[in-house]
């Protein structure tokens, strides 16, 4: 029930992305939402009385053990682990693809190093290696401080959700700006009440979820169990803003595009395109 948004990260690689990407996103959201809703109903019906042991951690496996016995729980848990494995693979693909694209567009202070395509495999192995390394660090952090690891995971969720509502909010705020020149695609809900309501609900709900993810999980709280997701998120945004103002604005101009193709339309740069050096 995680990373249902990964369908958006491969929009550059699919044909007729204006149709395929939005359709895939809608199907993924509806599918994961329905499965997650049913899953939570089953958990509530099978949980029985809520005890401190149940809330101490690993509630799902404890409920399985209570209802199916240890052997049955272990058999079913194998499928859960397999699902988690494929979720991680999806996250790995999306993260490495994002690192590659941002580095290719000169949005990272690496002079395009991680935007390199390995000719032998036609894949961004450098970006994959970096994504893997960055994923290992929070896992190791969990052994030293579960609180710190939870803060990192919550920060990732908050940052990801905020990144979704930024273009939606900008679309509404700067809709009539002369430099925007917004042209709706085929998957469009219109400028009327339906489109506006969808945008407002999306922004409001996402802000609410970000607040919930930043709240302490235990009350009363202290420095050992405090949820540091909000301070870490603000720190990352502050450092990113300072870096952009000092240096990145000189070479990052947004997603790169190449000259007009024979049809007269600009195309996004694909994985096989050459990486140009950053201007001095």
């Amino acid at each position: 029930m995680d990373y249902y948004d990964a369908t958006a990260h491969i929009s550059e690689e699919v044909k007729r992305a204006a149709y395929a990407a939005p359709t895939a996103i809608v199907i993924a959201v509806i599918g994961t939402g329905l499965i997650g809703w049913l899953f939570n109903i089953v958990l509530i019906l099978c949980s029985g009385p809520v005890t401190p042991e149940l809330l101490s951690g690993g509630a799902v496996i404890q409920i399985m053990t209570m209802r199916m016995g240890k052997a049955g729980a272990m058999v079913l848990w194998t499928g859960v682990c397999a699902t988690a494995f494929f979720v991680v693979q999806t996250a790995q693909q999306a993260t490495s693809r994002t690192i590659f694209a941002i580095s290719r567009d000169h949005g990272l202070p690496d002079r395009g190093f991680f935007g390199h395509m390995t000719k032998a495999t036609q894949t961004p192995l450098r970006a994959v290696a970096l994504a893997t390394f960055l994923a290992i660090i929070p896992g190791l952090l969990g052994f030293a401080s579960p609180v710190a690891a939870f803060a990192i995971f919550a920060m990732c969720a908050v940052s990801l959700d905020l990144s979704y509502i930024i273009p939606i909010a900008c679309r509404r705020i700067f809709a009539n700006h002369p430099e925007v020149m917004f042209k709706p695609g085929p998957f469009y809900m219109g400028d009327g009440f339906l489109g506006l309501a969808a945008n407002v609900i999306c922004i409001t709900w996402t802000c609410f979820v970000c607040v919930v993810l930043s709240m302490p999980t235990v009350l009363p709280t202290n420095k050992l169990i405090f949820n540091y997701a909000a301070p870490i998120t603000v720190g990352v945004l502050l450092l990113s803003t300072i870096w952009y103002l000092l240096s990145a604005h000189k070479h990052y101009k947004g997603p790169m595009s190449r000259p007009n193709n024979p049809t007269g339309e600009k195309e996004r740069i694909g994985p096989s395109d050459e990486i140009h050096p950053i201007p001095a």
Side-chain angles (χ1 to χ4, degrees), residues 60-77:
V60 176
I61 186 63
Q62 291 190 34
I63 293 174
M64 290 181 178
T65 303
M66 286 191 307
R67 299 305 176 189
M68 298 182 293
K70 186 176 181 179
M74 290 297 101
V75 172
L76 189 59
W77 196 249

Side-chain angles (χ1 to χ4, degrees), residues 3 5-13 86-101 124 127-128 131-132:
Y3 241 94
D5 60 297
T7 51
H9 297 285
I10 59 173
S11 58
E12 292 188 7
E13 278 76 30
F86 289 112
V87 169
V88 171
Q89 297 306 308
T90 304
Q92 169 76 349
Q93 177 273 329
T95 303
S96 60
R97 182 64 183 84
T98 303
I99 293 174
F100 163 79
V128 172
T132 303

Side-chain angles (χ1 to χ4, degrees), residues 35-165:
I35 294 175
W37 177 62
L38 295 175
F39 179 73
N40 280 282
I41 291 178
V42 173
L43 283 183
I44 294 298
L45 294 177
C46 298
S47 62
V50 179
T51 61
E53 293 77 12
L54 189 63
L55 299 177
S56 61
V60 176
I61 186 63
Q62 291 190 34
I63 293 174
M64 290 181 178
T65 303
M66 286 191 307
R67 299 305 176 189
M68 298 182 293
K70 186 176 181 179
M74 290 297 101
V75 172
L76 189 59
W77 196 249
T78 303
V80 175
C81 293
T83 302
F85 173 80
F86 289 112
V87 169
V88 171
Q89 297 306 308
T90 304
Q92 169 76 349
Q93 177 273 329
T95 303
S96 60
R97 182 64 183 84
T98 303
I99 293 174
F100 163 79
I102 297 178
S103 175
R104 177 201 63 194
D105 298 340
H106 310 311
L108 294 179
D110 64 340
R111 302 188 66 83
F113 178 81
F114 292 107
H116 172 76
M117 293 294 301
T118 303
K119 294 182 178 180
T121 62
Q122 286 298 301
T123 56
L125 290 184
R126 295 178 183 178
V128 172
L130 178 62
T132 303
F133 175 74
L134 295 177
I136 291 175
I137 295 178
L140 296 177
L141 187 61
F143 292 103
S145 175
V147 176
F150 177 80
I152 296 296
F153 297 147
M155 180 206 70
C156 293
V158 171
S159 302
L160 196 63
D161 289 344
L162 289 177
S163 69
Y164 293 152
I165 65 173

